[in-house]
């Protein structure tokens, strides 16, 4: 495969995007760019600074003076560094989960984030995951995937992930939280969560990660040849 292309992976919370995108990037020897982590980093900083999460201009101003860097670690994993501080794990708490969609809803915040994301994808050789990558950030991506799964399957996966990170939560609570987040993400006026018309739909409800990975990798190898 000679071409250093761009791959977009979108979908709702808990569909397996980050696991698949990270492993896909490692298999293609591409860089994995987790755009959700960028919104999470801003939400985390806003919470720490006591910024009103309903105040879009204040959040956009905060972002302009904020450095968010994604560094590759191993196996496509990234380390998120916020103003020089390693925050990868801190971005996965229930507090950040509950606030991030609100922060990501503001046009001024999204404008700045999208400019940064396009800059990061500039040279190609990237797998970028998020909600609006195929529709808005990289509309000319070489390959686009839209990963989804039933709400129950997504809630179960998120629950296991939170448990692994030391935050055991009731599955019903997680289900309500991701359903609420999906609603906010897909109904916002600016670049909502949506499947691009040219995205390959992958329903992962009854698929193991390895199966999803083999499927998307095959499509990438064909399209990026
Ligand atoms: O993928 P994630 O769960 O880490 O994303 C966290 C939130 O960030 C998600 O609820 C919506 C927002 N987001 C977004 O609006 N646009 C993106 N490209 C990525 C994430």
């Amino acid at each position: 495969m000679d071409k250093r292309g761009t791959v977009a992976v979108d979908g709702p919370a808990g569909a397996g995007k980050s696991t698949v995108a990270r492993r896909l990037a490692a298999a293609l020897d591409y860089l994995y760019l987790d755009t959700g982590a960028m919104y999470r980093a801003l939400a985390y900083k806003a919470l720490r600074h006591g910024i009103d999460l309903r105040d879009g201009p204040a959040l956009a101003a905060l972002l302009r003076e904020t450095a968010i860097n994604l560094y590759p670690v191993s196996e496509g994993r990234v380390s998120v560094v916020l103003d020089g501080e390693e925050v990868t794990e801190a971005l996965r708490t229930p507090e950040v989960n509950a606030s991030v969609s609100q922060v990501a809803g503001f046009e001024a915040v999204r404008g700045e984030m999208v400019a940064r994301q396009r800059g990061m994808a500039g040279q190609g050789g990237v797998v970028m995951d998020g909600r609006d990558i195929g529709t808005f950030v990289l509309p000319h991506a070489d390959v686009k995937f839209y990963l989804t799964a039933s709400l129950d399957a997504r809630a179960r996966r998120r629950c296991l992930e939170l448990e692994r990170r030391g935050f055991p939560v009731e599955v019903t609570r997680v289900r309500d939280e991701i359903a609420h987040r999906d609603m906010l993400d897909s109904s916002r006026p600016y670049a909502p969560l949506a499947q691009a018309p040219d995205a390959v739909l992958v329903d992962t409800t009854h698929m193991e990660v390895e199966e999803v990975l083999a499927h998307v990798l095959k499509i990438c190898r064909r399209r990026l040849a």
Side-chain angles (χ1 to χ4, degrees):
M1 237 174 21
D2 325 310
K3 189 170 160 188
R4 304 287 295 166
T6 49
V7 181
V9 182
D10 290 300
K17 293 187 305 292
S18 56
T19 308
V20 169
R22 177 168 60 71
R23 302 252 327 252
L24 182 61
L28 295 170
D29 197 19
Y30 277 19
L31 194 62
Y32 165 50
L33 294 173
D34 175 1
T35 63
M38 298 173 73
Y39 290 97
R40 285 173 181 272
L42 179 63
Y44 174 75
K45 184 170 175 180
L47 286 168
R48 277 216 307 207
H49 286 238
I51 307 272
D52 183 350
L53 300 184
R54 293 164 301 184
D55 189 344
L59 290 165
L62 184 70
L63 176 58
R64 282 193 295 274
E65 57 185 47
T66 298
I68 304 170
N69 291 294
L70 306 175
Y71 295 109
V73 194
S74 60
E75 268 288 297
R77 281 181 196 283
V78 287
S79 157
V80 188
V81 176
L82 170 67
D83 297 327
E85 186 190 340
E86 217 296 314
V87 292
T88 314
E89 284 296 314
L91 303 182
R92 305 281 152 189
T93 60
E95 289 76 15
V96 174
N97 285 346
S99 327
V100 63
S101 289
Q102 191 172 6
V103 169
F106 294 103
E107 188 176 17
V109 167
R110 300 200 71 81
E112 172 71 19
M113 287 292 195
V114 169
R116 293 187 189 192
Q117 290 156 6
R118 286 183 181 150
M120 290 164 146
Q123 303 305 309
V126 297
V127 177
M128 193 177 268
D129 96 14
R131 302 291 187 287
D132 59 340
I133 310 305
T135 51
F136 196 71
V137 180
L138 303 174
H140 304 297
D142 297 285
V143 196
K144 298 179 185 178
F145 295 103
Y146 189 84
L147 254 61
T148 190
S150 72
L151 182 58
D152 278 338
R154 293 188 288 120
R156 275 196 306 275
R157 287 175 196 160
R158 263 295 141 93
C159 227
L160 286 175
E161 186 196 320
L162 283 165
E163 213 172 276
R164 269 200 306 271
R165 292 178 194 277
F167 299 102
V169 202
E170 291 273 305
V171 72
T172 48
R173 222 184 105 198
V174 177
R175 194 170 52 216
D176 291 349
E177 184 256 314
I178 62 177
H180 181 65
R181 206 138 64 87
D182 287 350
M183 188 273 291
L184 292 179
D185 293 341
S186 35
S187 63
R188 68 174 178 232
Y190 316 112
L193 165 67
Q195 182 183 345
D198 52 347
V200 178
L201 176 68
V202 185
D203 184 336
T204 69
T205 308
H206 302 292
M207 290 171 92
E208 296 294 333
V209 175
E210 298 302 328
E211 219 180 320
V212 180
L213 189 67
H215 179 61
V216 299
L217 196 52
K218 199 164 119 192
I219 295 171
C220 285
R221 293 221 152 104
R222 204 169 53 223
R223 302 251 189 113
L224 296 166

